[in-house]
Amino acid sequence: MNPRLQSLQSYPFEKLRKLFDGSKPDPARRHISLGIGEPRHPTPEFIRRALSDNLEKLSAYPPTAGSDTLRQAIAAWLTQRYALPAIDWKTEVLPVNGSREALFAFAQTIVNPSKGLPVVVCPNPFYQIYEGAALLAGAQPYYVNTTVEKGFCADYSQVPEEVWRRTQLLYVCSPGNPTGKVLGLAEWREIFALADRHGFVIASDECYSEIYFDEASPPLGALQAAARSGRGFDRLVVFSSLSKRSNAPGLRSGFVAGDAAVLKAFLLYRTYHGGAMNPAVQEASAVAWKDETHVRENRKKYAEKFDRVTPVMQQALEVQRPDAGFYLWARTPIADVEFARRLYAAQNVTVLPGSFLARDSAGINPGNGFVRMALVAETEECLEAARRIVEFAKHL
Ligand SMILES: Cc1ncc(COP(=O)(O)O)c(C=O)c1O
């Protein structure tokens, strides 16, 4: 067996299951989960139809680079969404089977394990795939805290020069999971300056980019920030997905875009790995990227939900509506793990302890004292959960 598998941590949801072991919540209260960040609004009918209308395409192997139609649709979306001067659909765009597999595979392509002791820098708390990707690629993960005191921005000044020298890859997540923080131009310029000084690759995870609350100010993307800074896409690759944007997590469809030289290497890796996308999924994805109406409707649903649920949560917890994304990241009045355990037992509501999403770094676990709540269910169910949390907090 690959010994590196031993270094993988169990997934936060496994830790949660263990935490709840032996708990017997009141069966009269229906279980409500705010624990898992899986979209639950229905997948639009036109996307489902495009999938079923193209099943005859299953009789051929799809190209790993993706169809021209899909890559053109993605490039057009990117150009429009991020006001890019240009993006070459042939060399700067690659479809992937959801951002998760791509975020993982990317580290396997980028990290050179024979060069010193390679480091992969990631935010803390973070999406656990970054860590597993780094470890299996033979790199050491380095966790940079994103604390409330720093406005949920990564404090890169805490990273020693010696670590930057060994850094080969940096994961960035904007809008952030779990904090919802959207990076601005100044933060991106700091990241570009670090990458250019130390020569590492930036992987910008933007899979929550289309869930935001003000139609007039969509989150800034990394390619957009690069274009605005006159920098170009050197060593910069973004990861995006239909899972949240189009409520299609089961479709397994996303893309990477950016530096053509890096994507050429990534395509080579994917050819061997077997990363080609199902051709019917490619057709459904192309129509999804071409349509914005369903995305606006989806956003409206989230905006209404956050408007109604956040004030109720605020009766019990210190919490703000995020910049973007579908999580509330709330400070807990008692230790986060204890809060989640007792809430489940008393109210049959699941929330995810923040410390399960973070590691100790610079002397703290920045997830301590927070819980993540995914507002993915319909509004009434989220409201019911919020009311139960208020009730629970009264008795602490
Ligand atoms: C931060 C982040 N990145 C990536 C993903 C993966 O999404 P998908 O593979 O569905 O595109 C998730 C899923 O929850 C996520 O939270």
Side-chain angles (χ1 to χ4, degrees):
M1 293 281 186
N2 181 344
R4 287 177 185 158
L5 286 167
Q6 300 299 327
S7 54
L8 297 180
Q9 291 240 2
S10 60
Y11 221 58
F13 307 115
E14 275 171 56
K15 292 184 184 169
L16 199 59
R17 258 196 303 278
K18 277 208 189 107
L19 179 69
F20 293 166
D21 243 9
S23 268
K24 290 206 174 38
D26 177 359
R29 286 179 193 273
R30 195 170 47 88
H31 178 238
I32 302 179
S33 176
L34 306 181
I36 299 187
E38 180 183 11
R40 281 198 253 155
H41 301 168
T43 308
E45 171 60 24
F46 78 96
I47 298 177
R48 291 192 284 165
R49 203 170 343 106
L51 186 65
S52 59
D53 283 352
N54 283 286
L55 295 180
E56 84 284 353
K57 298 214 164 65
L58 298 183
S59 58
Y61 276 118
T64 307
S67 69
D68 294 1
T69 313
L70 175 56
R71 279 185 293 162
Q72 283 163 357
I74 293 168
W77 182 80
L78 278 166
T79 311
Q80 195 275 330
R81 167 67 173 80
Y82 295 116
L84 300 180
I87 185 148
D88 182 351
W89 64 268
K90 284 200 180 111
T91 58
E92 294 178 322
V93 172
L94 203 54
V96 296
N97 295 309
S99 52
R100 178 182 183 139
E101 66 91 0
L103 287 160
F104 176 82
F106 196 63
Q108 319 313 310
T109 306
I110 298 301
V111 171
N112 177 353
S114 62
K115 198 174 145 215
L117 289 166
V119 168
V120 172
V121 174
C122 63
N124 193 31
F126 60 100
Y127 180 51
Q128 195 159 310
I129 297 302
Y130 312 151
E131 177 186 62
L135 291 168
L136 287 182
Q140 178 192 344
Y142 189 93
Y143 311 100
V144 183
N145 296 337
T146 59
T147 57
V148 65
E149 292 77 20
K150 299 266 174 189
F152 298 124
C153 286
D155 181 7
Y156 292 119
S157 68
Q158 79 173 68
V159 183
E161 201 55 26
E162 172 279 320
V163 172
W164 282 130
R165 264 198 299 278
R166 292 189 286 124
T167 300
Q168 297 186 12
L169 176 62
L170 169 79
Y171 284 107
V172 180
C173 187
S174 174
N177 171 5
T179 65
K181 171 73 189 171
V182 171
L183 299 189
L185 198 53
E187 283 108 31
W188 275 114
R189 287 190 174 148
E190 181 193 7
I191 293 167
F192 295 150
L194 286 165
D196 292 343
R197 176 145 26 102
H198 300 287
F200 58 75
V201 173
I202 304 163
S204 177
D205 179 354
E206 303 182 0
C207 73
Y208 293 94
S209 67
E210 302 315 290
I211 314 288
Y212 55 91
F213 306 103
D214 177 2
E215 285 296 318
S217 48
L220 180 73
L223 296 180
Q224 188 177 19
R228 282 207 201 157
S229 310
R231 178 190 178 273
F233 302 157
D234 286 2
R235 284 169 287 99
L236 172 63
V237 173
V238 302
F239 296 68
S240 191
S241 170
L242 290 175
S243 299
K244 281 85 177 167
R245 174 187 180 270
S246 299
N247 292 309
L251 191 64
R252 310 310 305 130
S253 178
F255 68 80
V256 297
D259 186 321
V262 173
L263 291 200
K264 192 171 173 211
F266 194 36
L267 175 60
L268 173 66
Y269 175 88
R270 299 181 67 72
T271 307
Y272 279 82
H273 186 74
M277 184 187 285
N278 175 323
V281 171
Q282 294 199 43
E283 294 292 336
S285 305
V287 299
W289 287 114
K290 284 181 194 163
D291 182 76
E292 285 302 319
T293 307
H294 76 285
V295 188
R296 272 193 298 273
E297 280 165 8
N298 189 39
R299 257 198 303 276
K300 199 160 162 248
K301 274 175 92 169
Y302 279 115
E304 283 166 8
K305 189 163 21 183
F306 273 80
D307 279 351
R308 292 186 60 196
V309 176
T310 314
V312 182
M313 289 289 191
Q314 282 169 336
Q315 294 170 27
L317 301 170
E318 204 182 309
V319 64
Q320 305 299 329
R321 197 180 70 174
D323 293 345
F326 52 49
Y327 299 112
L328 287 175
W329 181 240
R331 212 192 263 281
T332 50
I334 55 172
D336 55 310
V337 173
E338 202 45 22
F339 183 89
R341 194 183 60 77
R342 286 174 54 187
L343 173 67
Y344 177 69
Q347 298 287 342
N348 211 1
V349 172
T350 305
V351 296
L352 196 61
S355 55
F356 289 2
L357 295 165
R359 303 285 178 258
D360 288 347
S361 178
I364 59 162
N365 178 323
N368 266 345
F370 285 85
V371 286
R372 193 191 76 177
M373 299 180 285
L375 301 193
V376 286
E378 294 300 334
T379 304
E380 287 311 318
E381 193 171 325
C382 293
L383 271 174
E384 170 64 20
R387 286 187 206 108
R388 289 195 212 168
I389 288 171
V390 172
E391 180 62 26
F392 166 70
K394 275 189 202 149
H395 300 105
L396 285 177

